[in-house]
Coordinates of all heavy atoms in Angstrom, one line a residue:
M2 N -12.1 7.7 -7.2 CA -11.2 7.7 -6.1 C -10.8 6.3 -5.8 O -11.6 5.4 -5.7 CB -11.9 8.3 -4.8 CG -11.1 8.3 -3.6 SD -9.8 9.5 -3.6 CE -10.6 11.0 -3.1
V3 N -9.5 6.1 -5.7 CA -8.9 4.8 -5.3 C -8.8 4.7 -3.8 O -8.3 5.6 -3.2 CB -7.5 4.6 -6.0 CG1 -6.8 3.4 -5.5 CG2 -7.7 4.5 -7.5
N4 N -9.2 3.6 -3.3 CA -9.0 3.3 -1.9 C -7.8 2.4 -1.7 O -7.7 1.3 -2.2 CB -10.2 2.6 -1.3 CG -11.4 3.6 -1.2 OD1 -11.4 4.6 -0.6 ND2 -12.5 3.3 -2.0
L5 N -6.8 2.9 -0.9 CA -5.6 2.2 -0.7 C -5.3 2.2 0.8 O -5.3 3.3 1.4 CB -4.4 2.9 -1.5 CG -3.0 2.3 -1.3 CD1 -3.0 0.9 -1.9 CD2 -2.0 3.2 -2.0
S6 N -5.0 1.1 1.4 CA -4.6 1.0 2.8 C -3.5 0.0 3.0 O -3.4 -1.0 2.3 CB -5.8 0.7 3.7 OG -6.5 -0.4 3.3
V7 N -2.7 0.3 4.1 CA -1.6 -0.6 4.4 C -1.9 -1.0 5.9 O -2.2 -0.2 6.7 CB -0.3 0.2 4.4 CG1 0.9 -0.7 4.9 CG2 0.0 0.6 2.9
C8 N -1.7 -2.3 6.1 CA -1.9 -2.8 7.5 C -0.7 -2.5 8.4 O 0.4 -2.7 8.0 CB -2.1 -4.3 7.4 SG -2.2 -5.1 9.1
I9 N -1.0 -1.9 9.5 CA 0.1 -1.6 10.5 C -0.1 -2.5 11.8 O 0.4 -2.1 12.8 CB 0.2 -0.1 10.8 CG1 -1.2 0.4 11.3 CG2 0.7 0.6 9.6 CD1 -1.1 1.8 11.9
G10 N -0.8 -3.6 11.6 CA -1.0 -4.5 12.7 C 0.4 -5.1 13.0 O 1.4 -5.0 12.2
S11 N 0.5 -5.9 14.1 CA 1.8 -6.3 14.6 C 2.6 -7.2 13.6 O 3.8 -7.0 13.4 CB 1.7 -7.0 16.0 OG 0.8 -8.1 15.9
S12 N 1.9 -8.2 13.0 CA 2.5 -9.0 12.0 C 3.1 -8.3 10.8 O 4.2 -8.5 10.4 CB 1.6 -10.1 11.6 OG 2.1 -10.9 10.5
C13 N 2.3 -7.4 10.3 CA 2.7 -6.6 9.1 C 3.8 -5.6 9.5 O 4.7 -5.3 8.8 CB 1.5 -5.9 8.5 SG 0.4 -7.1 7.7
Y14 N 3.7 -5.1 10.7 CA 4.6 -4.1 11.2 C 6.0 -4.7 11.2 O 7.0 -4.0 10.7 CB 4.2 -3.5 12.6 CG 5.1 -2.4 13.0 CD1 5.0 -1.1 12.5 CD2 6.2 -2.6 13.9 CE1 5.8 -0.1 12.9 CE2 7.1 -1.6 14.2 CZ 6.8 -0.3 13.8 OH 7.7 0.7 14.1
V15 N 6.2 -5.9 11.8 CA 7.5 -6.5 11.8 C 8.0 -6.9 10.5 O 9.2 -7.0 10.3 CB 7.6 -7.7 12.8 CG1 7.3 -7.3 14.2 CG2 6.7 -8.8 12.3
N16 N 7.1 -7.0 9.5 CA 7.5 -7.3 8.1 C 7.8 -6.0 7.3 O 8.0 -6.1 6.1 CB 6.5 -8.2 7.5 CG 6.5 -9.6 8.0 OD1 7.6 -10.1 8.4 ND2 5.4 -10.2 8.1
G17 N 7.7 -4.9 7.9 CA 8.1 -3.6 7.2 C 7.0 -2.7 6.7 O 7.2 -1.9 5.8
S18 N 5.8 -2.8 7.4 CA 4.7 -2.0 6.9 C 5.0 -0.5 7.0 O 4.5 0.3 6.2 CB 3.4 -2.3 7.6 OG 3.5 -2.0 9.0
H19 N 5.8 -0.1 8.0 CA 6.2 1.3 8.1 C 6.9 1.8 6.8 O 6.6 2.9 6.3 CB 7.2 1.5 9.3 CG 7.6 3.0 9.4 ND1 6.8 4.0 9.9 CD2 8.8 3.5 9.1 CE1 7.4 5.1 9.9 NE2 8.7 4.9 9.4
N20 N 7.8 1.0 6.2 CA 8.4 1.3 5.0 C 7.4 1.4 3.8 O 7.6 2.3 2.9 CB 9.5 0.3 4.6 CG 10.7 0.4 5.5 OD1 10.9 1.5 6.2 ND2 11.5 -0.6 5.7
V21 N 6.5 0.6 3.8 CA 5.5 0.6 2.7 C 4.6 1.9 2.8 O 4.4 2.6 1.8 CB 4.5 -0.7 2.8 CG1 3.4 -0.6 1.8 CG2 5.3 -1.9 2.7
V22 N 4.2 2.2 4.1 CA 3.5 3.5 4.3 C 4.3 4.7 3.8 O 3.8 5.5 3.0 CB 3.1 3.7 5.8 CG1 2.6 5.1 6.0 CG2 2.1 2.6 6.2
Q23 N 5.6 4.7 4.2 CA 6.4 5.9 3.8 C 6.6 5.9 2.3 O 6.5 7.0 1.7 CB 7.8 5.8 4.5 CG 7.7 6.0 6.0 CD 7.1 7.4 6.3 OE1 7.4 8.4 5.7 NE2 6.1 7.3 7.3
T24 N 6.8 4.8 1.7 CA 7.0 4.7 0.2 C 5.7 5.2 -0.5 O 5.8 6.1 -1.4 CB 7.3 3.3 -0.3 OG1 8.5 2.9 0.4 CG2 7.4 3.2 -1.8
F25 N 4.5 4.7 -0.1 CA 3.3 5.1 -0.7 C 3.0 6.6 -0.5 O 2.6 7.3 -1.4 CB 2.1 4.3 -0.1 CG 2.0 2.9 -0.6 CD1 1.0 2.1 -0.2 CD2 2.9 2.4 -1.6 CE1 0.9 0.7 -0.6 CE2 2.8 1.1 -2.0 CZ 1.8 0.3 -1.5
L26 N 3.3 7.1 0.7 CA 3.1 8.6 1.0 C 4.0 9.4 0.0 O 3.5 10.4 -0.5 CB 3.4 8.9 2.4 CG 2.4 8.5 3.5 CD1 2.9 8.7 4.9 CD2 1.1 9.3 3.2
H27 N 5.2 9.0 -0.1 CA 6.1 9.8 -1.0 C 5.6 9.7 -2.5 O 5.6 10.7 -3.2 CB 7.5 9.2 -0.9 CG 8.2 9.7 0.3 ND1 9.0 8.8 1.1 CD2 8.3 10.9 0.9 CE1 9.4 9.5 2.1 NE2 9.1 10.8 2.0
L28 N 5.2 8.5 -2.9 CA 4.8 8.4 -4.3 C 3.5 9.2 -4.5 O 3.3 9.8 -5.6 CB 4.6 6.9 -4.6 CG 5.8 6.1 -4.8 CD1 5.6 4.6 -4.8 CD2 6.6 6.5 -6.0
I29 N 2.6 9.2 -3.6 CA 1.3 10.0 -3.7 C 1.7 11.5 -3.8 O 1.2 12.2 -4.7 CB 0.4 9.7 -2.5 CG1 -0.2 8.2 -2.7 CG2 -0.8 10.7 -2.5 CD1 -0.9 7.7 -1.4
E30 N 2.5 11.9 -2.9 CA 2.9 13.3 -2.9 C 3.7 13.7 -4.1 O 3.3 14.7 -4.8 CB 3.8 13.5 -1.6 CG 4.2 15.0 -1.4 CD 3.0 15.8 -1.0 OE1 2.1 15.3 -0.3 OE2 3.0 17.0 -1.3
D31 N 4.7 12.9 -4.5 CA 5.5 13.3 -5.6 C 4.8 13.3 -7.0 O 5.1 14.0 -7.9 CB 6.7 12.3 -5.8 CG 7.7 12.4 -4.6 OD1 7.6 13.4 -3.8 OD2 8.6 11.5 -4.5
N32 N 3.7 12.5 -7.0 CA 3.0 12.4 -8.3 C 1.7 13.2 -8.2 O 0.9 13.2 -9.2 CB 2.6 10.9 -8.6 CG 3.8 10.1 -9.0 OD1 4.4 10.3 -10.0 ND2 4.3 9.2 -8.1
G33 N 1.5 14.0 -7.1 CA 0.3 14.9 -7.0 C -1.0 14.1 -7.0 O -2.0 14.5 -7.7
L34 N -1.0 13.0 -6.3 CA -2.2 12.1 -6.4 C -3.1 12.2 -5.1 O -4.0 11.4 -4.9 CB -1.7 10.6 -6.5 CG -0.9 10.3 -7.8 CD1 -0.3 8.9 -7.7 CD2 -1.7 10.6 -9.0
N35 N -2.9 13.2 -4.3 CA -3.7 13.4 -3.1 C -5.2 13.4 -3.3 O -5.9 12.9 -2.5 CB -3.3 14.6 -2.3 CG -1.9 14.5 -1.7 OD1 -1.7 13.6 -0.9 ND2 -1.0 15.4 -2.1
D36 N -5.6 14.0 -4.4 CA -7.1 14.0 -4.7 C -7.6 12.8 -5.3 O -8.8 12.7 -5.5 CB -7.4 15.2 -5.6 CG -7.1 16.5 -4.9 OD1 -7.0 16.5 -3.6 OD2 -6.9 17.5 -5.6
L37 N -6.7 11.9 -5.7 CA -7.2 10.7 -6.4 C -7.1 9.4 -5.6 O -7.7 8.4 -6.0 CB -6.3 10.5 -7.7 CG -6.4 11.7 -8.7 CD1 -5.4 11.4 -9.8 CD2 -7.8 11.8 -9.3
I38 N -6.3 9.4 -4.5 CA -6.2 8.2 -3.7 C -6.6 8.6 -2.2 O -6.1 9.5 -1.6 CB -4.7 7.8 -3.7 CG1 -4.3 7.4 -5.1 CG2 -4.5 6.6 -2.8 CD1 -2.8 6.9 -5.2
D39 N -7.5 7.7 -1.7 CA -7.8 7.8 -0.3 C -6.9 6.8 0.4 O -7.2 5.6 0.4 CB -9.3 7.5 -0.1 CG -9.7 7.6 1.4 OD1 -9.0 8.2 2.2 OD2 -10.8 7.0 1.7
F40 N -5.9 7.3 1.0 CA -4.8 6.4 1.6 C -5.0 6.4 3.1 O -5.1 7.5 3.8 CB -3.5 6.9 1.2 CG -2.3 6.1 1.8 CD1 -2.3 4.7 1.5 CD2 -1.4 6.7 2.6 CE1 -1.2 4.0 2.0 CE2 -0.4 5.9 3.1 CZ -0.3 4.5 2.8
K41 N -4.9 5.2 3.7 CA -5.0 5.0 5.1 C -4.1 3.9 5.6 O -3.7 3.0 4.8 CB -6.4 4.6 5.5 CG -7.5 5.6 5.3 CD -8.8 5.0 5.9 CE -9.9 6.1 5.7 NZ -10.5 6.1 4.4
A42 N -3.7 4.0 6.9 CA -3.1 2.9 7.6 C -4.2 2.2 8.4 O -5.0 2.9 9.0 CB -1.9 3.4 8.4
T43 N -4.2 0.9 8.4 CA -5.3 0.2 9.2 C -4.7 -0.9 10.1 O -3.5 -1.3 9.9 CB -6.3 -0.5 8.2 OG1 -5.6 -1.5 7.5 CG2 -6.9 0.5 7.3
F44 N -5.5 -1.3 11.0 CA -5.0 -2.5 11.8 C -5.3 -3.8 11.1 O -5.7 -3.8 9.9 CB -5.7 -2.4 13.2 CG -5.2 -1.2 14.0 CD1 -6.0 -0.1 14.2 CD2 -3.9 -1.1 14.4 CE1 -5.5 1.0 14.9 CE2 -3.4 0.0 15.1 CZ -4.2 1.0 15.4
C45 N -5.0 -4.9 11.8 CA -5.0 -6.2 11.2 C -6.2 -6.4 10.2 O -7.3 -6.2 10.5 CB -5.0 -7.3 12.2 SG -4.9 -8.9 11.5
M46 N -5.8 -6.9 9.0 CA -6.8 -7.2 7.9 C -7.2 -8.6 8.0 O -7.9 -9.1 7.1 CB -6.2 -6.8 6.6 CG -5.9 -5.3 6.4 SD -5.2 -5.1 4.7 CE -4.9 -3.3 4.8
G47 N -6.7 -9.4 8.9 CA -7.0 -10.8 9.0 C -6.3 -11.6 8.0 O -6.8 -12.7 7.6
N48 N -5.2 -11.1 7.5 CA -4.4 -11.8 6.5 C -3.0 -11.9 6.9 O -2.1 -11.7 6.1 CB -4.6 -11.0 5.2 CG -3.9 -11.6 4.0 OD1 -4.1 -12.8 3.8 ND2 -3.2 -10.9 3.2
C49 N -2.7 -12.2 8.2 CA -1.4 -12.3 8.7 C -0.7 -13.5 8.1 O -1.2 -14.6 8.0 CB -1.4 -12.4 10.2 SG -2.3 -11.2 11.1
K50 N 0.6 -13.3 7.7 CA 1.4 -14.4 7.1 C 2.8 -14.1 7.7 O 3.1 -13.1 8.2 CB 1.4 -14.3 5.6 CG 0.0 -14.4 5.0 CD -0.1 -15.8 4.3 CE -1.6 -16.0 3.9 NZ -2.2 -15.1 3.0
K51 N 3.6 -15.1 7.5 CA 5.0 -15.1 8.0 C 5.8 -13.9 7.3 O 6.6 -13.3 8.0 CB 5.7 -16.4 7.7 CG 6.9 -16.7 8.6 CD 7.3 -18.1 8.4 CE 8.6 -18.3 9.1 NZ 9.2 -19.7 8.8
E52 N 5.6 -13.8 6.1 CA 6.3 -12.7 5.3 C 5.4 -11.8 4.6 O 4.2 -12.1 4.3 CB 7.2 -13.4 4.3 CG 8.3 -14.3 4.9 CD 9.1 -15.0 3.9 OE1 8.8 -14.8 2.7 OE2 10.0 -15.7 4.3
G53 N 5.8 -10.6 4.4 CA 5.1 -9.6 3.6 C 4.2 -8.7 4.5 O 4.1 -8.9 5.7
V54 N 3.6 -7.8 3.8 CA 2.7 -6.8 4.4 C 1.4 -6.8 3.6 O 1.4 -6.8 2.4 CB 3.4 -5.4 4.3 CG1 2.4 -4.3 4.7 CG2 4.7 -5.3 5.0
S55 N 0.3 -6.7 4.4 CA -1.0 -6.7 3.7 C -1.4 -5.3 3.3 O -1.2 -4.3 4.0 CB -2.1 -7.2 4.7 OG -1.9 -8.6 4.9
V56 N -1.8 -5.2 2.0 CA -2.2 -4.0 1.4 C -3.6 -4.2 0.8 O -3.8 -5.2 0.1 CB -1.2 -3.5 0.3 CG1 -1.7 -2.3 -0.4 CG2 0.2 -3.2 0.9
C57 N -4.5 -3.3 1.0 CA -5.8 -3.4 0.4 C -6.0 -2.3 -0.7 O -5.8 -1.1 -0.4 CB -6.9 -3.2 1.5 SG -8.5 -3.5 0.9
L58 N -6.3 -2.7 -1.9 CA -6.5 -1.8 -3.0 C -7.9 -2.0 -3.5 O -8.2 -3.1 -4.0 CB -5.5 -2.1 -4.1 CG -5.6 -1.3 -5.4 CD1 -5.5 0.2 -5.1 CD2 -4.6 -1.8 -6.4
N59 N -8.8 -1.0 -3.3 CA -10.2 -1.1 -3.7 C -10.8 -2.4 -3.3 O -11.6 -3.0 -4.1 CB -10.3 -1.0 -5.3 CG -10.0 0.5 -5.7 OD1 -10.1 1.4 -4.9 ND2 -9.6 0.6 -6.9
G60 N -10.6 -2.8 -2.0 CA -11.3 -4.0 -1.5 C -10.6 -5.3 -1.7 O -10.9 -6.3 -1.1
E61 N -9.5 -5.3 -2.5 CA -8.8 -6.5 -2.7 C -7.5 -6.5 -1.9 O -6.7 -5.5 -2.0 CB -8.4 -6.7 -4.2 CG -7.8 -8.0 -4.6 CD -7.5 -8.1 -6.1 OE1 -7.8 -7.2 -6.9 OE2 -6.9 -9.1 -6.5
I62 N -7.3 -7.6 -1.1 CA -6.1 -7.6 -0.3 C -4.9 -8.3 -1.0 O -5.1 -9.4 -1.5 CB -6.4 -8.3 1.1 CG1 -7.5 -7.5 1.8 CG2 -5.2 -8.5 1.9 CD1 -8.0 -8.1 3.1
F63 N -3.8 -7.7 -0.9 CA -2.6 -8.3 -1.4 C -1.6 -8.4 -0.3 O -1.6 -7.7 0.7 CB -1.9 -7.3 -2.5 CG -2.8 -7.0 -3.7 CD1 -3.8 -6.0 -3.6 CD2 -2.6 -7.8 -4.8 CE1 -4.6 -5.8 -4.7 CE2 -3.4 -7.5 -5.9 CZ -4.4 -6.5 -5.9
R64 N -0.6 -9.3 -0.5 CA 0.5 -9.5 0.5 C 1.7 -9.1 -0.3 O 2.1 -9.8 -1.2 CB 0.5 -10.9 1.0 CG 1.3 -11.2 2.2 CD 0.6 -10.7 3.4 NE 1.6 -10.9 4.6 CZ 1.3 -10.5 5.8 NH1 0.1 -10.0 6.1 NH2 2.1 -10.7 6.8
I65 N 2.4 -8.1 0.1 CA 3.5 -7.6 -0.7 C 4.8 -7.6 0.1 O 4.8 -7.5 1.3 CB 3.3 -6.2 -1.3 CG1 3.3 -5.1 -0.3 CG2 1.9 -6.2 -2.1 CD1 3.4 -3.7 -0.8
D66 N 5.9 -7.7 -0.6 CA 7.2 -7.6 0.0 C 7.5 -6.1 0.2 O 7.3 -5.3 -0.7 CB 8.3 -8.1 -1.0 CG 9.7 -8.1 -0.5 OD1 10.0 -7.2 0.3 OD2 10.5 -8.9 -1.0
A67 N 7.9 -5.7 1.5 CA 8.0 -4.3 1.8 C 9.0 -3.6 0.9 O 9.0 -2.4 0.7 CB 8.5 -4.2 3.3
L68 N 10.0 -4.4 0.4 CA 11.0 -3.8 -0.5 C 10.5 -3.6 -1.9 O 11.1 -3.0 -2.8 CB 12.2 -4.7 -0.5 CG 13.0 -4.9 0.8 CD1 14.1 -5.9 0.7 CD2 13.4 -3.5 1.3
K69 N 9.3 -4.1 -2.2 CA 8.7 -4.0 -3.5 C 7.5 -3.1 -3.5 O 6.6 -3.2 -4.4 CB 8.4 -5.3 -4.1 CG 9.7 -6.1 -4.3 CD 9.4 -7.4 -5.0 CE 10.8 -8.1 -5.3 NZ 10.6 -9.5 -5.6
A70 N 7.4 -2.2 -2.6 CA 6.2 -1.3 -2.5 C 6.1 -0.4 -3.7 O 5.1 -0.1 -4.2 CB 6.3 -0.5 -1.2
R71 N 7.3 0.1 -4.1 CA 7.3 1.0 -5.3 C 6.7 0.2 -6.5 O 6.0 0.8 -7.3 CB 8.7 1.5 -5.5 CG 8.8 2.5 -6.7 CD 10.2 3.0 -6.8 NE 10.5 4.0 -5.8 CZ 10.3 5.3 -5.9 NH1 9.8 5.8 -7.0 NH2 10.5 6.1 -4.9
E72 N 7.2 -1.0 -6.7 CA 6.7 -1.8 -7.9 C 5.2 -2.0 -7.8 O 4.5 -1.9 -8.8 CB 7.5 -3.1 -7.9 CG 8.9 -3.0 -8.4 CD 9.7 -4.2 -7.9 OE1 9.5 -5.3 -8.4 OE2 10.6 -4.0 -7.1
F73 N 4.7 -2.3 -6.6 CA 3.3 -2.6 -6.4 C 2.5 -1.3 -6.8 O 1.5 -1.4 -7.5 CB 3.0 -2.9 -5.0 CG 1.5 -3.1 -4.7 CD1 0.9 -4.4 -5.0 CD2 0.8 -2.1 -4.2 CE1 -0.4 -4.5 -4.8 CE2 -0.6 -2.3 -4.0 CZ -1.2 -3.5 -4.3
F74 N 3.0 -0.2 -6.4 CA 2.4 1.1 -6.7 C 2.3 1.3 -8.2 O 1.2 1.7 -8.7 CB 3.1 2.2 -6.0 CG 2.3 3.5 -5.9 CD1 1.5 3.8 -4.8 CD2 2.4 4.4 -6.9 CE1 0.8 4.9 -4.7 CE2 1.6 5.6 -6.8 CZ 0.8 5.9 -5.7
T75 N 3.4 1.1 -8.8 CA 3.5 1.3 -10.3 C 2.6 0.3 -11.1 O 1.9 0.6 -12.0 CB 4.9 1.1 -10.8 OG1 5.7 2.1 -10.1 CG2 5.0 1.4 -12.3
E76 N 2.6 -1.0 -10.6 CA 2.0 -2.0 -11.4 C 0.5 -2.2 -11.0 O -0.3 -2.6 -11.9 CB 2.7 -3.4 -11.1 CG 4.1 -3.4 -11.7 CD 4.9 -4.6 -11.3 OE1 4.3 -5.5 -10.6 OE2 6.1 -4.6 -11.6
K77 N 0.1 -1.8 -9.8 CA -1.3 -2.0 -9.4 C -2.1 -0.7 -9.1 O -3.2 -0.6 -9.5 CB -1.4 -2.9 -8.1 CG -0.8 -4.3 -8.3 CD -1.8 -5.2 -9.1 CE -1.3 -6.6 -9.2 NZ -2.1 -7.4 -10.1
V78 N -1.4 0.2 -8.4 CA -2.2 1.4 -7.9 C -2.3 2.4 -9.1 O -3.4 2.9 -9.3 CB -1.4 2.0 -6.7 CG1 -2.2 3.3 -6.3 CG2 -1.3 1.1 -5.6
M79 N -1.3 2.6 -9.8 CA -1.4 3.6 -10.9 C -2.4 3.2 -12.0 O -3.2 4.0 -12.4 CB 0.0 3.8 -11.6 CG 1.0 4.5 -10.7 SD 0.5 6.1 -10.2 CE 1.0 7.1 -11.6
P80 N -2.4 1.9 -12.4 CA -3.5 1.5 -13.3 C -4.9 1.6 -12.7 O -5.8 2.0 -13.4 CB -3.2 0.0 -13.6 CG -1.7 -0.1 -13.4 CD -1.5 0.8 -12.2
A81 N -5.0 1.4 -11.4 CA -6.3 1.6 -10.8 C -6.8 3.0 -10.8 O -8.0 3.3 -11.0 CB -6.3 1.1 -9.3
I82 N -5.9 3.9 -10.7 CA -6.2 5.4 -10.8 C -6.7 5.7 -12.2 O -7.7 6.4 -12.4 CB -5.0 6.2 -10.5 CG1 -4.6 6.1 -9.0 CG2 -5.2 7.7 -10.8 CD1 -3.2 6.7 -8.7
N83 N -6.0 5.1 -13.2 CA -6.4 5.4 -14.6 C -7.7 4.9 -15.0 O -8.3 5.5 -16.0 CB -5.3 4.9 -15.5 CG -4.0 5.6 -15.3 OD1 -4.0 6.8 -14.9 ND2 -2.9 5.0 -15.6
I84 N -8.3 3.9 -14.3 CA -9.6 3.4 -14.7 C -10.7 3.9 -13.7 O -11.8 3.5 -13.9 CB -9.6 1.9 -14.8 CG1 -9.2 1.2 -13.5 CG2 -8.7 1.4 -15.9 CD1 -9.5 -0.3 -13.4
S85 N -10.3 4.6 -12.7 CA -11.3 5.0 -11.7 C -11.9 6.4 -12.1 O -11.4 7.1 -13.0 CB -10.8 5.1 -10.3 OG -9.8 6.1 -10.2
Ligands
FES118 S1 -1.3 -7.8 11.1 FE1 -1.5 -7.3 9.0 S2 -3.0 -8.7 8.3 FE2 -2.8 -9.1 10.4

């Protein structure tokens, strides 16, 4: 099981975390991954920055551009599923 979470704290929210959440939800649903990914929205991960949204994948925190959520999913989340 892959653990994936998106920060919806205030800093990440203004940087587009809502879009990241929606993108991940659609990708999980469209690819039938509900049983393979434990997906959550969380409050501040203590990684606030001026730009980007904090995403935690299996305990590792990334700061991603909200417009590149799909790429992150393809490049980081899908491979994590394949090795879990
Ligand atoms: S609000 Fe997202 S890391 Fe702080």
Side-chain angles (χ1 to χ4, degrees):
M2 178 71 82
V3 167
N4 291 298
L5 177 66
S6 56
V7 176
C8 178
I9 54 168
S11 55
S12 171
C13 292
Y14 186 80
V15 298
N16 287 328
S18 63
H19 178 73
N20 288 338
V21 176
V22 169
Q23 291 303 315
T24 298
F25 285 177
L26 283 173
H27 283 133
L28 287 167
I29 290 168
E30 185 71 30
D31 292 350
N32 291 291
L34 301 172
N35 288 303
D36 294 339
L37 299 174
I38 299 179
D39 181 16
F40 180 58
K41 293 186 176 79
T43 65
F44 291 110
C45 183
M46 295 179 182
N48 186 43
C49 307
K50 302 249 169 59
K51 200 170 172 188
E52 295 176 0
V54 174
S55 291
V56 173
C57 185
L58 175 63
N59 287 339
E61 185 177 359
I62 297 176
F63 298 84
R64 194 78 183 175
I65 71 167
D66 182 333
L68 298 177
K69 295 187 175 163
R71 181 176 286 271
E72 285 160 65
F73 178 83
F74 197 90
T75 303
E76 292 171 8
K77 297 286 188 185
V78 180
M79 292 301 275
I82 293 168
N83 291 334
I84 60 171
S85 67

